[in-house]
Amino acid sequence: MNRIVNGSFEEGVVAPDSLPSPWLGVRSGVYEGIGHTGKRFGILGTGDNSFICQYVDVNAGESFEFKASMAADSNPSEPRPSATIYILISYYNDSFEFLGYGLKTFIAYDNLTSYSPSKTWSQIYAVTTTAPPGTTKALVLINKLAPIEYFEAPILIDDVMLTTYQIYNSEN
């Protein structure tokens, strides 16, 4: 079961400077076009840092697989590099006290596929650590860091998923 609500951005209002609930963000929005799947996708804009995030319900002892489709919104005839992307999943208790990180990973500068209807999107996969005792929620954050170059491409995001992942132990 996907813990992310509206990870495909298909529900809610299309707005360049806002996100449908329960997503939160800064310098981000939802657009219509040819998404990875469906006709909508999230976007992290150009310029300063921009991000999207969502709190999800989780349980202590669970591990998760994070998946997302991303692309640089760059015209192939005038390519622009993709910014560095930081993906963070952190664990909290009912009082929103920080309990630890489940995932901290980067997508390196200029390492995403440039978007076009004929190209595939970059597929991002990662596995979290196990949620510590007392965990009741996790914050999933996708952050486009401030640009290295003046005019980096906006980042398109679609099909964000956080699903339970069974870690198998060879001792069992």
Side-chain angles (χ1 to χ4, degrees):
M1 174 179 91
N2 188 6
R3 306 294 174 96
I4 299 289
V5 175
N6 198 17
S8 64
F9 303 95
E10 296 295 321
E11 303 297 321
V13 176
V14 174
D17 294 318
S18 78
L19 294 163
S21 179
W23 286 106
L24 302 169
V26 170
R27 289 184 272 298
S28 54
V30 175
Y31 285 81
E32 283 192 349
I34 300 173
H36 179 252
T37 59
K39 60 183 180 181
R40 293 184 181 178
F41 50 85
I43 189 165
L44 300 174
T46 57
D48 294 332
N49 281 3
S50 59
F51 69 87
I52 61 171
C53 65
Q54 184 178 133
Y55 280 101
V56 297
D57 292 331
V58 300
N59 299 304
E62 291 182 313
S63 296
F64 301 93
E65 181 178 39
F66 171 85
K67 296 179 186 177
S69 300
M70 295 185 192
D73 188 14
S74 180
N75 182 337
S77 64
E78 296 177 27
R80 294 186 286 169
S82 60
T84 301
I85 307 296
Y86 184 50
I87 300 169
L88 179 74
I89 298 175
S90 46
Y91 297 126
Y92 297 87
N93 65 16
D94 279 334
S95 300
F96 287 92
E97 294 174 284
F98 174 73
L99 300 176
Y101 292 110
L103 177 68
K104 295 190 287 187
T105 191
F106 285 90
I107 300 167
Y109 173 81
D110 200 21
N111 206 26
L112 290 176
T113 305
S114 290
Y115 170 81
S116 74
S118 62
K119 286 196 175 183
T120 58
W121 292 46
S122 297
Q123 303 303 306
I124 312 304
Y125 299 97
V127 175
T128 69
T129 60
T130 302
T135 301
T136 59
K137 56 188 70 47
L139 176 65
V140 177
L141 171 74
I142 303 170
N143 185 12
K144 182 187 74 64
L145 301 180
I148 294 172
E149 294 184 18
Y150 173 69
F151 215 141
E152 293 172 352
I155 304 300
L156 310 180
I157 302 173
D158 204 359
D159 301 324
V160 181
M161 298 181 75
L162 188 69
T163 56
T164 305
Y165 183 81
Q166 180 67 43
I167 297 176
Y168 291 99
N169 185 333
S170 62
E171 296 174 10
N172 291 338

